[in-house]
């Protein structure tokens, strides 16, 4: 989907004789190696390019994370933007120019201040042909900062590219389409979030069909049942801890 197509768009920028680099970013350093660093290599390999040393089409570096086009010298630098608001101030493209800046999973930073810090640094190295790309799936909560910040960019003139399951329906099996349409009929909230990419009011629930009136049991009711029924004797208690989004009511 969005990752693959945008990575394909990076290739001509790397092969161009015009000097200029790409910043490919995520919020945390620990997520880079197994995500965008690997996926960009996979995209290049799928096009028949060789990867490795200066003798190949592209040189791969793991410290720092970089991919260099040996024919042109243009680089993709893989960078993290979270933790320190001043972190991105130290970033500088080797050529002195940025053709493109990508923020993958753009909803993951702790707040818009980290995105703004990335933008303010990047713009110093960009010209009228350079691009800023923010890729993400909208979080379920409408109150999440990214569901406020990025729509504001769109209202101010940013190009909005949104895809739903309908855009790839021709690639899906009939059974998959039937399952999606079944969700549309029986659980529209689930359908709207997972298949249309729409944030939801009051969501963030572990159980999509959760109904507090039917699914919550008061501790006093359990104690009464234990006293009434000798065969109803719990032998263990499990504590479920949700490690989902910050400030998520779940």
């Amino acid at each position: 989907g969005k990752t693959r197509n945008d990575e394909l768009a990076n290739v001509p920028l790397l092969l161009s004789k015009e000097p200029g680099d790409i910043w490919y970013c995520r919020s945390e350093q620990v997520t880079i190696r197994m995500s965008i660093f690997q996926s960009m290599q996979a995209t290049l390999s799928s096009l028949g390019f060789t990867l490795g040393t200066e003798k190949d089409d592209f040189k791969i570096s793991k410290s720092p994370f970089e991919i260099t086009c040996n024919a042109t010298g243009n680089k993709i630098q893989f960078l993290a933007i979270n933790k320190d608001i001043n972190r991105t101030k130290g970033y500088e493209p080797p050529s002195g120019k940025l053709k493109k800046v990508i923020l993958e999973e753009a909803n993951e930073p702790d707040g818009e201040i980290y995105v703004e810090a990335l933008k303010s640094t990047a713009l110093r190295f960009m010209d009228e042909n350079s691009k800023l790309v923010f890729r993400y799936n909208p979080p379920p909560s409408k109150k999440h900062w990214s569901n406020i910040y990025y729509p504001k960019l769109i209202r101010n003139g940013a190009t909005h590219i949104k895809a739903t399951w309908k855009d790839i329906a021709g690639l899906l099996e009939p059974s998959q389409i039937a399952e999606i349409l079944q969700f549309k009929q029986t659980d529209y909230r689930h359908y709207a979030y997972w298949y249309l990419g729409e944030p939801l009011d009051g969501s963030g629930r572990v159980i999509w069909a959760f109904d507090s009136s039917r699914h919550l049991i008061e501790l006093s009711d359990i104690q009464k049942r234990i006293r009434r029924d000798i065969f109803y004797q719990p032998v263990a208690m499990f504590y479920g801890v949700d490690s989902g989004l910050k400030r998520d009511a779940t």
Side-chain angles (χ1 to χ4, degrees):
K2 61 186 184 299
T3 299
R4 166 74 173 175
N5 280 284
D6 198 29
E7 288 180 350
L8 289 172
N10 293 339
V11 179
L13 301 178
L14 292 170
L15 297 177
S16 171
K17 293 181 180 180
E18 180 187 358
D21 304 303
I22 298 171
W23 285 351
Y24 202 165
C25 307
R26 279 197 69 166
S27 61
E28 304 293 345
Q29 185 73 22
V30 294
T31 62
I32 287 175
R33 181 183 184 124
M34 299 306 295
S35 58
I36 54 179
F37 188 57
Q38 293 288 353
S39 65
M40 190 65 223
Q41 291 180 66
T43 295
L44 291 169
S45 294
S46 72
L47 297 174
F49 293 109
T50 58
L51 312 176
T53 67
E54 292 89 347
K55 297 180 180 180
D56 296 289
D57 297 317
F58 290 89
K59 179 183 176 182
I60 305 300
S61 168
K62 296 180 181 178
S63 183
F65 290 120
E66 289 182 349
I67 298 176
T68 305
C69 178
N70 287 322
T72 64
N74 296 332
K75 293 178 180 286
I76 300 184
Q77 297 179 301
F78 297 82
L79 307 170
I81 71 167
N82 229 12
K83 292 185 179 178
D84 182 358
I85 192 63
N86 295 312
R87 185 177 198 172
T88 53
K89 287 184 178 180
Y91 294 159
E92 185 170 346
S95 69
K97 178 184 175 181
L98 282 171
K99 294 181 178 179
K100 189 176 180 181
V101 175
I102 309 157
L103 179 57
E104 170 73 338
E105 303 296 355
N107 58 294
E108 287 186 345
D110 290 338
E112 65 181 70
I113 56 173
Y114 298 97
V115 182
E116 284 293 312
L118 172 65
K119 283 175 57 181
S120 63
T121 299
L123 287 171
R124 295 192 288 117
F125 306 106
M126 304 178 86
D127 61 23
E128 66 276 5
N129 295 316
S130 304
K131 291 185 178 181
L132 278 165
V133 178
F134 303 109
R135 297 199 308 244
Y136 74 107
N137 295 315
S141 172
K142 287 187 175 181
K143 294 181 179 180
H144 191 275
W145 69 265
S146 65
N147 285 329
I148 300 170
Y149 176 74
Y150 295 114
K152 185 165 57 178
L153 295 186
I154 295 165
R155 290 194 297 271
N156 290 334
T159 300
H160 183 206
I161 301 173
K162 179 182 178 181
T164 72
W165 75 272
K166 297 176 184 178
D167 295 291
I168 60 165
L171 303 175
L172 302 177
E173 297 292 333
S175 59
Q176 293 174 303
I177 294 176
E179 182 179 352
I180 292 170
L181 294 178
Q182 177 70 15
F183 271 123
K184 183 179 181 180
Q185 293 296 321
T186 60
D187 190 348
Y188 190 83
R189 290 170 57 82
H190 187 145
Y191 167 80
Y193 174 62
W194 287 107
Y195 300 110
L196 299 182
E198 296 178 1
L200 307 173
D201 283 324
S203 63
R205 302 176 299 180
V206 172
I207 304 172
W208 282 93
F210 179 77
D211 181 344
S212 60
S213 65
R214 295 190 301 128
H215 298 136
L216 285 182
I217 301 175
E218 293 289 339
L219 178 61
S220 59
D221 292 338
I222 295 178
Q223 293 170 331
K224 291 176 183 176
R225 183 168 179 178
I226 291 172
R227 288 196 296 269
R228 288 197 308 267
D229 188 348
I230 192 173
F231 297 105
Y232 186 80
Q233 299 295 320
V235 295
M237 180 175 289
F238 297 86
Y239 293 88
V241 180
D242 174 32
S243 58
L245 299 172
K246 295 179 180 178
R247 299 181 297 277
D248 190 326
T250 303

